[in-house]
Amino acid sequence: MRISTQQIFLSNIDNLNSSSAALFKTQQQLSTGKRVLQPSDDPLASAQIQKFKKEIARTEQFSANIEVADRRLSLEETTIDQINNLSIRLKELTLQGKNGVLSDGDRSSIASEVGEIVKSLSSLMNTKDVQGEYLFAGNKGFTQPYTYNQSNGRYEFNGDDGQRYLQVGPENKVASTDSGFDIFETVPVVPGYIEADLTQTVSMVSNIDIDGGDAEEFGEYMAAHGPLTMSVDAAGLLTVTDKNGQFVTAEDPAVSLNGYDLSTNPNAPTLTIAGVELDVSGANEGTATLDVFDQHNILNTAMDLKEQLETADFTTESGKELFNTKMDQILTNLSGIEELNISARTSIGGRINTLEQQLLVNEDYILFTEEARSSFEDMDYNEAISMFSLQETALEASYASFAAIKDLSLFNYL
């Protein structure tokens, strides 16, 4: 077979280009530390590498969520702990104020300290996080949870009872917020201590009116039987059961009527339980729960304490007796507030521990996934350096041999 001079030159150029490209690729691998530089280098390995990178990015986002949740919960825990310290101080002042030998000036001094505590409590319960959202407003992060109502002289909760969850693991979500409703508002009923509106969580009950009933009797009834489950079936029949699943019927002396047929009489008279009217007119099919909570949160409890210390009548025995009764109710309420505080801190502490454990799991997962990715993508330097030396030697030999071959010509012998 004849080989022309042109063929020799073209073949050598192709070999030089191929050897240079291979050497350049190895040099790139050495400089980047990556064996797979593009999908065409190893399609199967490239697919696995992309999968591992997505897993790592997702887990890193979980860890970032953990940092956000931990920061917020830690602030919440510190804030609630400070509120608990003030609650303990209020209890001490209540016991001190009950001392019958105190003068009006002494009680006035205690009331002044209580007033300062109210200011501190209001500030703490309206604490904002680093993002400018209120800690205890539930899902209404930019709504101030506690404001003072001048018309009734009470602190009112303006948030909701929602919690926001963050994904901290593939199958793990943790509540990163708490509502002031759950922490400060859901204080168990103190019989005889209900003075204003009652909180309701029943859509079918449009009104709870205690003006015409006995609030103390209702409080005692709910403490013994609540929460109540109110159901309306497809036929429109209303039934009420207590916490033990027992039907609340007219046989109970505290109940006046039960079992309205709302389909035939949608404007039925109100159901009266323990002297309190429940408006069930227009109720739709479904089930709801009725529970009663003492709206005397710690702010209002402190306000009550201040009022009693400032206005108590010690000139009569009945005045002294009423003062002691009110102070006992305040002490009982403070105990309920303290229990809620402890429960809240326990819940927060448990979630913080969960976050810490999940963070360790995430870090281990990232480490193992990085190792798996490295096995597909990263370069073995010993192998790469040996290959680079071999390719460099081959390229140098190609240049040397081409230099010798190009000078071979019959014209050199003429």
Side-chain angles (χ1 to χ4, degrees):
M1 181 179 67
R2 295 181 178 180
I3 300 176
S4 67
T5 301
Q6 183 180 17
Q7 284 180 297
I8 294 174
F9 272 82
L10 291 176
S11 177
N12 275 282
I13 290 173
D14 288 340
N15 289 335
L16 289 173
N17 286 338
S18 177
S19 297
S20 296
L23 184 64
F24 176 69
K25 181 178 180 180
T26 303
Q27 190 274 333
Q28 279 187 307
Q29 290 174 329
L30 284 170
S31 63
T32 61
K34 306 297 182 183
R35 182 180 68 85
V36 180
L37 300 175
Q38 52 191 3
S40 59
D41 292 340
D42 190 334
L44 179 60
S46 181
Q48 291 298 316
I49 290 168
Q50 293 303 314
K51 176 183 176 181
F52 291 139
K53 285 183 176 180
K54 287 181 180 179
E55 285 295 312
I56 292 170
R58 186 178 70 147
T59 307
E60 287 175 344
Q61 182 59 57
F62 290 154
S63 297
N65 290 347
I66 288 175
E67 292 181 7
V68 173
D70 182 71
R71 183 170 60 246
R72 188 178 181 106
L73 290 175
S74 295
L75 176 59
E76 203 174 291
E77 184 179 39
T78 301
T79 303
I80 293 176
D81 187 57
Q82 293 174 340
I83 292 173
N84 183 61
N85 292 335
L86 293 175
S87 174
I88 293 172
R89 181 55 182 163
L90 284 175
K91 184 177 287 189
E92 293 173 352
L93 293 175
T94 304
L95 292 171
Q96 185 178 342
K98 283 191 65 177
N99 192 330
V101 301
L102 293 180
S103 65
D104 290 342
D106 294 333
R107 282 187 290 272
S108 179
S109 297
I110 296 175
S112 296
E113 182 177 348
V114 173
E116 295 302 316
I117 290 177
V118 170
K119 294 178 183 178
S120 297
L121 286 171
S122 177
S123 176
L124 289 169
M125 293 163 73
N126 287 315
T127 298
K128 292 182 179 181
D129 62 12
V130 295
Q131 296 172 314
E133 294 188 58
Y134 289 99
L135 278 180
F136 304 115
N139 290 325
K140 299 180 178 180
F142 294 101
T143 299
Q144 184 174 333
Y146 284 94
T147 55
Y148 183 71
N149 189 333
Q150 292 284 353
S151 62
N152 60 16
R154 313 301 286 173
Y155 280 90
E156 297 177 347
F157 179 66
N158 305 306
D160 59 27
D161 61 353
Q163 283 184 304
R164 280 175 282 180
Y165 289 79
L166 284 177
Q167 189 93 23
V168 297
E171 302 296 333
N172 191 4
K173 291 183 179 180
V174 173
S176 63
T177 64
D178 289 286
S179 170
F181 181 83
D182 295 324
I183 299 175
F184 307 121
E185 298 293 314
T186 55
V187 181
V189 171
V190 178
Y193 196 47
I194 304 172
E195 298 176 356
D197 294 335
L198 300 175
T199 295
Q200 56 173 312
T201 57
V202 186
S203 59
M204 68 174 66
V205 180
S206 60
N207 181 52
I208 298 181
D209 179 15
I210 66 171
D211 293 336
D214 188 332
E216 181 175 355
E217 182 184 356
F218 186 72
E220 291 175 346
Y221 183 88
M222 290 301 296
H225 300 280
L228 303 180
T229 300
M230 310 180 71
S231 302
V232 177
D233 62 18
L237 183 66
L238 169 70
T239 56
V240 183
T241 54
D242 64 13
K243 63 182 179 182
N244 297 316
Q246 301 297 316
F247 286 103
V248 177
T249 68
E251 296 178 1
D252 189 328
V255 181
S256 62
L257 288 172
N258 185 47
Y260 293 115
D261 187 352
L262 299 176
S263 62
T264 60
N265 188 11
N267 297 316
T270 54
L271 170 66
T272 303
I273 297 179
V276 174
E277 296 180 350
L278 306 176
D279 184 358
V280 294
S281 61
N284 297 318
E285 180 182 354
T287 301
T289 301
L290 170 65
D291 208 348
V292 181
F293 303 103
D294 184 0
Q295 289 302 285
H296 286 66
N297 53 56
I298 189 171
L299 282 167
N300 291 332
T301 300
M303 293 290 289
D304 290 340
L305 174 59
K306 184 174 183 292
E307 180 183 359
Q308 290 301 316
L309 292 169
E310 291 175 339
T311 64
D313 179 13
F314 280 83
T315 61
T316 63
E317 288 300 320
S318 60
K320 294 178 182 178
E321 184 178 346
L322 178 61
F323 173 78
N324 287 328
T325 299
K326 292 292 186 180
M327 296 294 275
D328 287 340
Q329 291 172 346
I330 290 171
L331 280 174
T332 303
N333 201 55
L334 286 171
S335 296
I337 290 169
E338 187 175 358
E339 290 178 6
L340 268 182
N341 190 290
I342 293 173
S343 176
R345 283 183 293 161
T346 300
S347 173
I348 293 171
R351 278 176 279 163
I352 290 176
N353 288 337
T354 298
L355 293 175
E356 291 175 353
Q357 293 300 317
Q358 186 65 53
L359 182 61
L360 294 176
V361 171
N362 290 351
E363 289 174 349
D364 288 343
Y365 184 77
I366 289 175
L367 177 61
F368 296 145
T369 308
E370 283 283 9
E371 290 178 353
R373 180 205 56 76
S374 177
S375 66
F376 283 93
E377 184 179 26
D378 291 344
M379 171 62 66
D380 181 342
Y381 276 96
N382 292 330
E383 179 183 351
I385 291 172
S386 298
M387 180 62 67
F388 182 83
S389 298
L390 177 62
Q391 291 171 333
E392 186 180 33
T393 301
L395 182 61
E396 290 174 351
S398 296
Y399 276 117
S401 62
F402 180 59
I405 292 174
K406 72 181 180 65
D407 290 332
L408 295 178
S409 173
L410 293 175
F411 292 103
N412 294 332
Y413 300 96
L414 293 178

